[in-house]
């Protein structure tokens, strides 16, 4: 099951607990946001969040005050994009935290005015004072108080925004999605304080790893005073020992305590700590390669031992981005692949920016790429909605499948526009279309919870072109804020030598996701051009054209009153067909 937040066991637990639609949607929404398989527009790292915007702004202001990094002009862009995210999230804070959000907004507006007046002569004292006034913790506390109104029932739009903000706070707290799902299943059998499930107090865990490449790490007790090590010999391990396959030549078992909210987070934090220590040994032993085996063992606070392996997704058939070598994208693909292989979040985020930079992107063109990402995220959301609606193969699907054909065992859409046609309202739909629309309603009601919400959200957005235009602009602002922060992170990591930052694991995930998203539409654009025998367009020119297209689409949506001509099939491709649906 790819989407564990939709699996039968969780649905049964919801039924047994008597949860209503809103309560199911809330819990499923948090779990989906923490799912590593969620696409950029669904994953917690790509959601709009005022809490995250204030956290990033505070970090940027503190860094500018002490290191003059980011520079004044980049700092202003971070503040501008943060304000846009805060304004978009403001409706959710009507349920708590409105005063704190307004105070943070006032601080950022003051810094923005100071930069506008002083430019590069901006006094670090100003940014230091502003950083001291910003309090992300106050927003976090407010967000945690939203559980009660969400549980008692709020409107669909409010529930979506509030769930996204809570998911970000849960992720920053250090919560693994798999562990949270298991804890929720237990909680549903014996409900208590849901806040304690979402944000449990970090407790002491002891994590064990196998380091390959050495039998003893000298002075480890000085670098990590609480760590313990034990030389490993493959021939001396019991045959059934879980370390048997991890030991490769000279190896050493390292145990270290970490404070974490759950087991998988403990393993992740422990690996990060140990990797940073191995930087010392790599520098001291330049001819030796030291690596951490993928297996791990965690002893929890109660003595329970959990063993696992770093998550690695596999497929039966792996496909390239394109079936030929696009010269301009080779460097970007190489660096993007390296970003996925690096454990250190700051370095991974910096490499993700470098991958985008390899396509010709520079900070002055971030707005172009943000608009292009908004178009591609629109297409991704619509495709994802079809996937989750048809997740369970039942008789209810048949009328929909008849109108919206799919291919392969994974039921990939043959035409996204055919699916869009079903979601859009029609005054007099023909019999086949009406049956497909009724099937969507039945499937949504059958799935309930989050899927029911998503079907309703997208029908609402597609029923009013102005609403869809506003949604596109919000996706653009969110992507712009992410890209600006990715560039800041790259500078902090590569120029200022910073190796840790608040929410840096989210930044790393978002960086990889936006690089993948960009390569996806660039690869598709090049494939279409090659098939049609056209000359290849440069990546920067593609960004410019897609940015222009998004501006034109938003303008058209604002005045059209309907989305019936909207086409998303090739919305990020080279052909200008974005307003051609329904034409003969």
């Amino acid at each position: 099951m790819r989407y564990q937040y939709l699996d039968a066991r969780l649905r049964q637990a919801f039924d047994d607990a008597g949860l209503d639609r809103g309560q199911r949607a809330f819990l499923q929404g948090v779990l989906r946001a923490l799912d590593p398989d969620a696409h950029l527009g669904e994953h917690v790292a790509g959601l709009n969040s005022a809490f995250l915007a204030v956290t990033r702004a505070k970090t940027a202001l503190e860094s500018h005050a002490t290191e003059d990094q980011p520079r004044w002009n980049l700092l202003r862009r971070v503040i501008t994009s943060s304000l846009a995210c805060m304004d978009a999230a403001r409706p959710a804070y009507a349920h708590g935290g409105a005063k704190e959000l307004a105070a943070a907004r006032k601080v950022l507006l003051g810094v923005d005015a100071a930069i506008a007046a002083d430019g590069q002569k901006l006094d670090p004292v100003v940014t230091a004072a502003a950083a001291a006034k910003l309090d992300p913790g106050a927003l976090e506390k407010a967000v945690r108080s939203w559980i009660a109104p969400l549980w008692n029932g709020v409107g669909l739009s409010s529930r979506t925004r509030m769930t996204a903000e809570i998911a970000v706070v849960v992720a920053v707290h250090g919560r693994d999605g798999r562990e949270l799902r298991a804890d929720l299943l237990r909680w549903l059998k014996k409900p208590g304080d849901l806040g304690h499930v979402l944000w449990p107090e970090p407790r002491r865990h002891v994590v064990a790893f196998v380091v390959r490449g050495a039998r003893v790490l000298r002075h480890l007790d000085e670098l990590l005073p609480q760590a313990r090590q034990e030389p490993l010999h493959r021939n001396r391990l019991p045959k059934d020992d879980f370390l048997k396959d991890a030991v490769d030549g000279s190896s050493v078992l390292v145990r270290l305590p970490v404070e974490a909210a759950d087991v998988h987070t403990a393993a992740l934090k422990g690996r990060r700590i140990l990797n940073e220590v191995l930087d010392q040994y790599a520098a001291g032993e330049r001819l030796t390669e030291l690596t951490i085996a993928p297996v791990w063992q965690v002893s929890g606070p109660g003595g329970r031992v959990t063993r696992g392996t770093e998550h690695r997704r596999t497929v039966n058939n792996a496909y390239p981005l394109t079936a030929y070598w696009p010269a301009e994208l080779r460097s970007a693909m190489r660096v993007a692949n390296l970003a996925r292989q690096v454990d250190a979040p700051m370095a991974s985020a910096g490499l993700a920016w470098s991958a985008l930079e390899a396509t010709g992107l520079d900070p002055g063109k971030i707005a172009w790429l943000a608009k292009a990402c908004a178009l591609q995220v629109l297409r991704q959301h619509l495709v994802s909605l079809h996937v989750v609606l048809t997740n369970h193969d039942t008789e209810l699907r048949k009328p929909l499948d008849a109108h919206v054909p799919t291919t392969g065992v994974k039921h990939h859409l043959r035409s996204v526009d055919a699916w869009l046609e079903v979601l859009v309202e029609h005054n007099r739909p023909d019999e086949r279309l009406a049956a497909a629309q009724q099937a969507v309603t039945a499937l949504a009601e059958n799935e309930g919870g989050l899927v029911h919400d998503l079907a309703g959200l997208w029908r609402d957005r597609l029923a009013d072109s102005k609403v869809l235009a506003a949604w596109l602009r919000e996706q653009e602002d969110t992507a712009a804020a992410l890209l600006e922060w990715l560039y800041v992170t790259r500078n902090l990591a590569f120029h200022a030598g910073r190796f840790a930052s608040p929410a840096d694991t989210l930044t790393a995930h978002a960086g990889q996701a936006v690089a993948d998203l960009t390569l996806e539409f660039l690869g598709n654009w090049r494939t279409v051009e090659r098939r049609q025998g056209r000359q290849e367009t440069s990546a920067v020119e593609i960004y410019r054209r897609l940015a222009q297209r998004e501006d034109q689409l938003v303008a058209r949506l604002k005045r059209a009153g309907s989305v019936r001509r909207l086409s998303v099939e090739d919305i990020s491709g080279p052909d200008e067909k974005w307003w051609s649906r329904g034409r003969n």
Side-chain angles (χ1 to χ4, degrees), residues 174-473:
R175 206 68 166 96
D176 178 83
R178 292 159 294 186
E179 291 282 339
L180 177 57
R181 177 180 173 276
D183 289 345
L184 283 172
L185 284 170
R186 286 189 287 269
W187 177 84
L188 287 166
K189 294 178 180 177
K190 190 177 180 181
D193 188 340
L194 181 55
H196 289 162
V197 180
L198 296 175
W199 300 287
E201 285 297 321
R203 295 192 292 172
R204 187 178 187 270
H205 296 72
V206 178
V207 190
F209 296 103
V210 174
V211 177
R212 295 166 172 167
R215 195 146 287 163
V216 177
L217 298 172
R218 296 291 182 184
H219 304 293
L220 181 64
D221 57 339
E222 297 175 50
L223 297 169
L224 285 177
Q226 293 183 302
R228 299 293 179 264
Q229 60 179 309
E230 176 186 338
L232 294 175
H233 302 269
R234 183 178 179 84
N235 296 332
R236 298 181 189 175
L237 292 170
K239 289 184 179 180
D240 61 346
D241 197 293
F242 89 105
L243 297 175
K244 194 76 176 179
D245 295 332
V247 177
D248 183 11
S250 295
S251 302
V252 56
L253 179 66
V254 177
R255 294 186 178 89
L256 64 153
V258 297
E259 295 286 323
D262 56 53
V263 168
H264 281 83
T265 303
L268 184 66
K269 291 179 69 174
R271 182 174 294 274
R272 177 171 179 173
I273 292 169
L274 188 54
N275 264 315
E276 290 169 2
V277 169
L278 291 184
D279 293 341
Q280 274 268 27
Y281 292 93
E285 297 285 346
R286 62 183 181 84
L287 300 181
T288 300
E289 183 178 354
L290 298 171
T291 59
I292 304 176
V295 299
W296 49 263
Q297 176 178 286
V298 177
S299 298
R304 180 183 177 185
V305 175
T306 305
R307 293 168 177 171
T309 305
E310 270 196 289
H311 178 70
R312 290 287 185 269
R313 176 167 288 283
T314 60
V315 294
N316 289 330
N317 297 291
Y319 292 91
L321 179 69
T322 62
Y324 72 101
W325 284 107
E328 189 188 36
L329 300 185
R330 293 187 71 166
S331 294
M333 289 188 288
R334 179 89 281 264
V335 182
N337 192 21
L338 289 174
R340 281 188 287 269
Q341 298 173 33
V342 174
D343 284 326
M346 294 282 284
S348 176
L351 286 170
W353 172 266
S354 296
L356 298 172
E357 199 171 41
T359 67
L361 182 72
D362 62 54
K365 299 179 178 65
I366 281 177
W368 289 357
L369 181 54
K371 294 174 189 291
C373 287
L375 293 177
Q376 188 69 357
V377 166
L378 169 61
R379 190 181 190 279
Q380 281 190 340
H381 270 291
L382 291 173
V383 172
S384 176
L385 178 59
H386 182 271
V387 172
V388 297
L389 264 174
T390 58
N391 188 54
H392 294 99
D393 193 2
T394 67
E395 289 294 312
L396 298 176
R397 283 187 51 166
K398 290 184 177 180
L400 179 61
D401 288 344
H403 191 82
V404 184
T406 57
T407 181
V409 295
K410 295 185 179 180
H411 301 287
H412 288 150
L413 286 169
R414 289 184 182 275
S415 169
V416 185
D417 281 349
W419 169 230
L420 179 61
E421 184 76 8
V422 174
L423 295 175
V424 175
E425 290 183 353
H426 294 265
N427 292 329
R428 292 187 295 274
D430 60 38
E431 184 177 341
R432 190 180 181 193
L433 177 57
Q437 291 179 327
Q438 290 167 8
V440 169
T441 300
L443 285 164
E445 291 175 349
N446 181 59
E447 285 287 349
L450 179 63
V451 176
H452 201 170
D453 272 12
L454 292 173
L457 275 172
W458 278 103
R459 280 177 159 171
D460 289 346
R461 287 167 183 161
L462 295 171
D464 187 335
S465 60
K466 291 184 176 63
V467 172
L468 184 60
W471 181 87
L472 272 170
R473 283 303 194 210

Side-chain angles (χ1 to χ4, degrees), residues 13 25 44 47 58 67 80 93 119 122 149 160 180 247 268 273 318 358 365 481 483 567:
V44 64
L47 297 177
K58 182 179 179 69
E67 303 170 15
T80 300
Y93 282 82
L122 178 66
T160 302
L180 177 57
V247 177
L268 184 66
I273 292 169
K365 299 179 178 65
L483 288 164
S567 172

